[in-house]
Amino acid sequence: MNVIGPRLRTARLAQTPPWSLEELSALLEQQSGLELSAATLSKIERGLRSVYDFEVIAFCRLLKIDPSVLLGFTAERPPTVEATN
């Protein structure tokens, strides 16, 4: 139901240290007043919930990524998480 889910998850986990869904939820509320529970964010990341335009804007501002990346309009990808051995 949305195209941003996997990109949102990748960008969330690329934070240093990686953010949990609970941390993302708290930061969204603190910085933009957007109240999305960890369960709702999980549904968004799995593509099970639609996303409003103002939510995309809040995600991009918080994660410091361009909306075109999150929406898949560019070949550029969100930062990736490097595997550690």
Side-chain angles (χ1 to χ4, degrees), residues 27-54:
L27 289 167
L28 283 167
E29 187 170 357
Q30 288 172 6
Q31 293 192 13
S32 66
L34 188 61
E35 295 182 22
L36 294 173
S37 69
T40 298
L41 290 167
S42 176
K43 288 179 184 176
I44 291 171
E45 287 187 354
R46 290 180 288 138
L48 301 176
R49 180 190 175 276
S50 296
V51 181
Y52 294 101
D53 53 357
F54 63 89

Side-chain angles (χ1 to χ4, degrees), residues 18-82:
W19 294 347
S20 68
L21 289 168
E22 291 79 9
E23 289 171 313
L24 178 58
S25 175
L27 289 167
L28 283 167
E29 187 170 357
Q30 288 172 6
Q31 293 192 13
S32 66
L34 188 61
E35 295 182 22
L36 294 173
S37 69
T40 298
L41 290 167
S42 176
K43 288 179 184 176
I44 291 171
E45 287 187 354
R46 290 180 288 138
L48 301 176
R49 180 190 175 276
S50 296
V51 181
Y52 294 101
D53 53 357
F54 63 89
E55 293 171 334
V56 172
I57 292 167
F59 293 144
C60 290
R61 285 183 177 156
L62 180 63
L63 295 163
K64 296 178 176 46
I65 58 175
D66 190 274
S68 63
V69 174
L70 201 57
L71 293 168
F73 288 129
T74 178
E76 191 177 330
R77 298 178 57 106
T80 57
V81 179
E82 293 184 24

